[in-house]
Amino acid sequence: MRHRTVADLMTPEAVVVQRGTPFKEIARLLDEYDITAVPVLDEDEQPVGVVSEADLLRRQIAKLGATTAEAIMTSPAVVARPEWSVVEAARTMEKKKVKRLPVVDDSGRLIGVISRSDLVQLFLRRDRAIQEEVLEEVLTRTLGVSPSAVTVEVSDGHVTLTGTLERKSLVPIAVRLCESVDGVVEVIDRLSSLRDDTVTPRQETPE
């Protein structure tokens, strides 16, 4: 199974500003492009900070007047790498309390931006695509289960597994693998098994 990465979901054409971009120009860009923050780039196109709506509001409330991106920005910039999983990006956003992450390449240059709204796209994945991945990648290719042994139903990202597996130990494995499929919200387990291989045979005590 191949999980989508930051590179798959990021917006490559990022709206950016320079250190000297004025307050009013930053506010105009946020409004025009309906975004919550912009990366601030240096001469080498590397992010040195981020200016968010919150940064602008704090500046305005403090009555410090118009100034530049360099004076307003939050620095250093919290960035993501294109090879990151979407889970890693989401956890970084949550930990750092940000809604957008500049994405940089090996040299530190900006190549895109990923936002919370980009990550939400995973959960808008079509049910049919989820069903096909569960059947083909999880059950058939990974676990070696016959397609006729398990019925997979998907509704709004909720996956229901119904059928019979050869061994009981495969049931929790199948559920965990399905939960890791992009776009899955919940897995409902209605699986049974032909053989319980989770019980250790009782040994006879010699008399």
Side-chain angles (χ1 to χ4, degrees):
M1 293 182 295
R2 178 187 177 275
H3 295 291
R4 279 182 280 184
T5 64
V6 165
D8 296 323
L9 296 177
M10 72 180 188
T11 302
E13 300 297 328
V15 179
V16 302
V17 298
Q18 308 300 319
R19 284 186 169 122
T21 304
F23 178 101
K24 286 188 176 181
E25 175 64 12
I26 299 170
R28 186 190 68 77
L29 290 171
L30 295 182
D31 178 66
E32 179 179 347
Y33 290 96
D34 192 24
I35 53 180
T36 58
V38 287
V40 183
L41 304 187
D42 63 12
E43 298 77 10
D44 298 318
E45 297 185 1
Q46 296 181 345
V48 293
V50 172
V51 177
S52 67
E53 291 175 327
D55 294 323
L56 295 180
L57 288 173
R58 278 193 295 267
R59 200 72 181 179
Q60 190 72 7
I61 291 170
K63 305 295 184 183
L64 296 178
T67 184
T68 62
E70 186 169 25
I72 303 170
M73 68 183 184
T74 299
S75 182
V78 180
V79 300
R81 297 295 302 265
E83 68 272 15
W84 279 12
S85 70
V86 293
V87 173
E88 191 169 2
R91 286 177 176 170
T92 299
M93 288 183 192
E94 178 64 23
K95 182 179 179 181
K96 299 296 184 179
K97 306 301 180 187
V98 295
K99 298 178 181 179
R100 295 166 65 86
L101 295 172
V103 184
V104 298
D105 61 16
D106 291 337
S107 65
R109 296 181 64 183
L110 185 78
I111 58 173
V113 171
I114 188 163
S115 67
R116 285 183 182 177
S117 61
D118 295 324
L119 299 180
V120 168
Q121 295 303 312
L122 281 182
F123 297 99
L124 300 178
R125 192 180 181 197
R126 294 177 62 184
D127 289 339
R128 180 64 179 172
I130 296 172
Q131 182 187 44
E132 289 176 354
E133 183 171 344
V134 169
L135 280 170
E136 297 172 11
E137 296 293 332
V138 175
L139 297 176
T140 304
R141 189 171 302 176
T142 303
L143 296 179
V145 175
S146 170
S148 61
V150 176
T151 299
V152 179
E153 297 177 338
V154 184
S155 177
D156 293 331
H158 296 263
V159 177
T160 301
L161 303 175
T162 307
T164 305
L165 299 182
E166 180 69 26
R167 293 178 285 116
K168 187 174 183 179
S169 61
L170 286 178
V171 174
I173 296 173
V175 171
R176 285 198 301 271
L177 289 175
C178 290
E179 287 173 340
S180 69
V181 170
D182 289 340
V184 171
V185 175
E186 177 190 22
V187 176
I188 301 168
D189 173 15
R190 294 178 180 166
L191 295 170
S192 59
S193 59
L194 296 175
R195 179 166 56 91
D196 187 353
D197 60 338
T198 63
V199 178
T200 304
R202 187 174 62 182
Q203 294 183 349
E204 295 292 336
T205 303
E207 296 182 358

